Amino acid sequence: MEVCYQLPVLPLDRPVPKHVLSRRGAISFSSSSSLFGAPDPRQLSQRRGAISYDSSDQTALYIRMLGDVRVRSRVGFDPEGKGSYSYLCIDFRTLHCDSAGPVSGRRLRRLLSFQRYLHSSRLLRGTPHLNPLHILDEDYTGQAKCMLERVATWNFDIFLYDRLTNGNSLVTLTFHLLNQYGLLELFQLDMVKLWRFLVMVQEDYHSLNPYHNAVHAADVTQAMYCYLREPKLAKSLTSCDILLGLLAAATHDLDHPGVNQPFLIKTNHYLAKLYRNSSVLENHHWRSAVGLLRETSLFSHLPAEDGLKMEHQLGSLILATDISRQNEYLGKFRTHLDQDDLYLSNASHRHFILQMALKCADICNPCRPWELSKQWSEKVTEEFFHQGDIEKKHRLEVSPLCDSQSNSMANIQIGFMTYVVEPLFAEWGRFSDTRLSQTMLGHLGLNKASWGGLVQQEGSSSPEVNLLPEDNVTSPVLLLPL
């Protein structure tokens, strides 16, 4: 029986009011549209996928620890809100402030309430030239243009490229890739609308986030491009698949607040309530992307049915990046490979492979060369520890991986590589046994060994074994890096 991985295309029950569209906040659509409606409570347990809450599998438990507060609650959090902390009056405007001084007007626009504003940008001034290459010439130097000639190489240095483009790596790289595939002409995309859309996407990433920012999105987009060029995909994917894959990569963490889902749940944040504690951030990223698509009218020239279908497929890709559903997707992928029944002539199978490619691109940092991988490790650890500091300040339970006193960057990376990255990329290597896959696995092994050496230098050559803090748990569970 064929398994369909695409979201169903549902008609809107009524038009979205104009005053809602003008707010740029795609969250508001949830009350007026079946597209943006919250999930049926009866489906929530199914959306947890293959992650069993009574499983003794250490990989599943590790993933659950990262993505679900129920597994690690010490104070009786209820995921539906009962018994949760009352909503905390945390000033999210100052999450990334080093001092307690007044917050500037520009920084006040970056609220965790996810209200978005169109910032003035030099990229929006003036009318672009007719030739898209001329647009690119205006905004980055010859060195950056030379780098784009090697954009398909796995050692592409996104940090250097971002500096050379004056912080506009996401806009320029995504535009270049879409233009290189000829998608502007093929889909008759208005060049000005596309440029405006990409600028708004880039500015809706929070630049003060150490990790979840526009540079991460650009890095994921570049990795996605490398995967789209793999022989199996290159000869099978349609132009629509490629367009969706690149747009999903560019927007997959849009408007990320720099804190994780368990933080939003235990602080009783309204987004957690809106999405009923299920794929909270991923749902928000998707709806934010759709909000920008609609505001810029990028797909307004397409038939309404086609535009709505593309929005749903974009959502299906972004929702697949939810770490709490890792085993669900990995299990399906492994089953398909074992049974040798992935047929890329089938649209639903191609979409599933795009989901897996985006999942790989999203967590590919440990598979990059050490010089790049280490920088990403430092950034994500900084973001984790910053969240932990906020939790301590407000007397919340500190989330796993977020306590700088009990965790080290090396142990965090070893745990993530062992329980999340290695299983995923091993299966991707089975699907696409190419030079790129071998290169990624090679870097992964070397990087893990490097982190292992650092652990030994720190005097803790093995992770700590702890019990889950529930009375009914009797077997030890490896909770890295607690």
Side-chain angles (χ1 to χ4, degrees):
M1 184 175 79
E2 180 181 304
V3 180
C4 181
Y5 300 98
Q6 292 176 259
L7 292 176
V9 178
L10 303 175
L12 295 176
D13 53 358
R14 59 185 173 127
V16 178
K18 292 183 179 179
H19 72 278
V20 175
L21 283 172
S22 65
R23 291 180 58 190
R24 292 186 64 199
I27 311 165
S28 302
F29 298 167
S30 60
S31 60
S32 62
S33 166
S34 60
L35 170 62
F36 297 104
D40 188 326
R42 292 171 297 181
Q43 298 175 352
L44 291 180
S45 60
Q46 297 177 0
R47 293 189 62 181
R48 295 293 178 184
I51 304 180
S52 171
Y53 285 89
D54 59 357
S55 170
S56 61
D57 178 71
Q58 292 182 346
T59 300
L61 288 166
Y62 181 81
I63 294 170
R64 283 162 45 200
M65 177 194 70
L66 294 179
D68 196 328
V69 295
R70 289 187 294 184
V71 181
R72 53 183 179 74
S73 170
R74 298 178 191 269
V75 292
F77 289 142
D78 176 37
E80 296 302 326
K82 301 175 183 178
S84 298
Y85 289 105
S86 58
Y87 186 81
L88 295 174
C89 297
I90 300 174
D91 186 1
F92 291 112
R93 296 170 298 181
T94 59
L95 286 183
H96 297 282
C97 293
D98 295 328
S99 64
V103 183
S104 68
R106 180 176 180 82
R107 298 177 82 174
L108 284 174
R109 300 187 184 108
R110 289 302 188 191
L111 304 179
L112 189 62
S113 61
F114 303 103
Q115 295 294 333
R116 290 197 298 269
Y117 297 83
L118 177 61
H119 299 295
S120 59
S121 169
R122 68 184 182 83
L123 298 177
L124 291 176
R125 300 191 192 116
T127 303
H129 296 289
L130 294 179
N131 188 335
L133 293 180
H134 291 171
I135 293 179
L136 302 181
D137 287 346
E138 292 176 357
D139 284 288
Y140 51 91
T141 66
Q143 287 180 309
K145 291 167 62 178
C146 289
M147 284 194 69
L148 282 182
E149 296 177 1
R150 298 179 285 106
V151 71
T153 59
W154 190 245
N155 62 350
F156 187 84
D157 189 341
I158 195 65
F159 299 109
L160 174 59
Y161 180 75
D162 189 65
R163 291 194 295 272
L164 293 176
T165 57
N166 194 28
N168 294 306
S169 56
L170 181 58
V171 175
T172 54
L173 184 140
T174 307
F175 190 97
H176 172 78
L177 297 180
L178 294 172
N179 184 69
Q180 182 168 296
Y181 272 114
L183 298 176
L184 279 74
E185 181 178 359
L186 187 61
F187 287 93
Q188 298 182 333
L189 299 178
D190 184 281
M191 191 185 306
V192 176
K193 288 181 180 179
L194 175 61
W195 190 258
R196 181 169 178 254
F197 169 75
L198 293 175
V199 169
M200 292 168 71
V201 166
Q202 179 173 276
E203 293 192 338
D204 271 1
Y205 278 95
H206 298 196
S207 60
L208 294 179
N209 288 346
Y211 182 82
H212 289 103
N213 52 40
V215 183
H216 166 66
D219 184 63
V220 172
T221 303
Q222 189 272 336
M224 188 68 166
Y225 174 65
C226 291
Y227 301 150
L228 295 178
R229 288 171 50 88
E230 291 288 78
K232 278 190 176 181
L233 277 70
K235 68 180 182 182
S236 304
L237 296 179
T238 66
S239 297
C240 186
D241 295 330
I242 294 171
L243 176 63
L244 285 170
L246 293 175
L247 290 181
T251 61
H252 80 285
D253 273 333
L254 188 60
D255 202 26
H256 196 292
V259 293
N260 60 18
Q261 173 173 296
F263 182 92
L264 298 179
I265 293 175
K266 67 187 178 185
T267 56
N268 213 14
H269 193 271
Y270 81 92
L271 279 180
K273 289 181 173 294
L274 177 62
Y275 300 123
R276 304 188 184 184
N277 301 339
S278 179
S279 300
V280 175
L281 288 171
E282 291 73 25
N283 270 298
H284 176 62
H285 303 325
W286 166 34
R287 286 150 175 77
S288 298
V290 171
L292 295 187
L293 285 172
R294 293 185 179 186
E295 181 178 348
T296 57
S297 302
L298 185 60
F299 293 150
S300 61
H301 62 290
L302 300 177
E305 183 179 351
D306 292 345
L308 187 58
K309 182 178 180 181
M310 292 187 73
E311 290 177 359
H312 275 274
Q313 290 178 327
L314 182 68
S316 178
L317 293 175
I318 294 175
L319 288 173
T321 62
D322 185 353
I323 192 67
S324 70
R325 301 180 67 187
Q326 177 82 357
N327 280 6
E328 172 191 348
Y329 284 93
L330 186 59
K332 289 179 181 178
F333 196 27
R334 185 177 291 122
T335 299
H336 275 307
L337 295 175
D338 291 342
Q339 297 178 356
D340 194 23
D341 61 354
L342 270 176
Y343 305 108
L344 297 187
S345 58
N346 182 298
S348 65
H349 286 194
R350 289 199 308 274
H351 188 77
F352 176 66
I353 290 302
L354 281 179
Q355 290 176 318
M356 299 308 300
L358 182 58
K359 289 179 69 63
C360 288
D362 189 27
I363 62 171
C364 71
N365 302 150
C367 301
R368 296 283 193 179
W370 172 253
E371 294 76 13
L372 299 176
S373 180
K374 187 172 183 290
Q375 290 185 69
W376 285 119
S377 300
E378 293 168 349
K379 291 178 179 297
V380 74
T381 304
E382 179 185 353
E383 191 165 297
F384 285 167
F385 289 171
H386 185 69
Q387 176 179 323
D389 292 341
I390 298 171
E391 291 167 330
K392 291 177 184 178
K393 178 180 178 181
H394 295 280
R395 299 181 180 179
L396 302 175
E397 180 196 15
V398 179
S399 301
L401 315 182
C402 296
D403 191 345
S404 58
Q405 301 301 315
S406 58
N407 298 312
S408 71
M409 179 165 57
N411 265 333
I412 289 175
Q413 289 304 307
I414 291 175
F416 185 64
M417 291 179 181
T418 302
Y419 294 99
V420 180
V421 182
E422 284 181 345
L424 178 61
F425 280 87
E427 298 305 320
W428 181 263
R430 288 178 59 196
F431 166 72
S432 179
D433 187 10
T434 63
R435 180 177 179 180
L436 174 59
S437 294
Q438 296 304 315
T439 298
M440 292 190 297
L441 290 172
H443 286 310
L444 179 60
L446 292 173
N447 293 339
K448 187 176 179 180
S450 297
W451 288 119
L454 292 176
V455 168
Q456 291 180 350
Q457 292 178 13
E458 294 168 359
S460 54
S461 59
S462 61
E464 199 173 8
V465 176
N466 291 323
L467 289 175
L468 280 175
E470 276 101 6
D471 293 337
N472 60 344
V473 176
T474 57
S475 60
V477 179
L478 195 61
L479 294 182
L480 291 172
L482 297 178

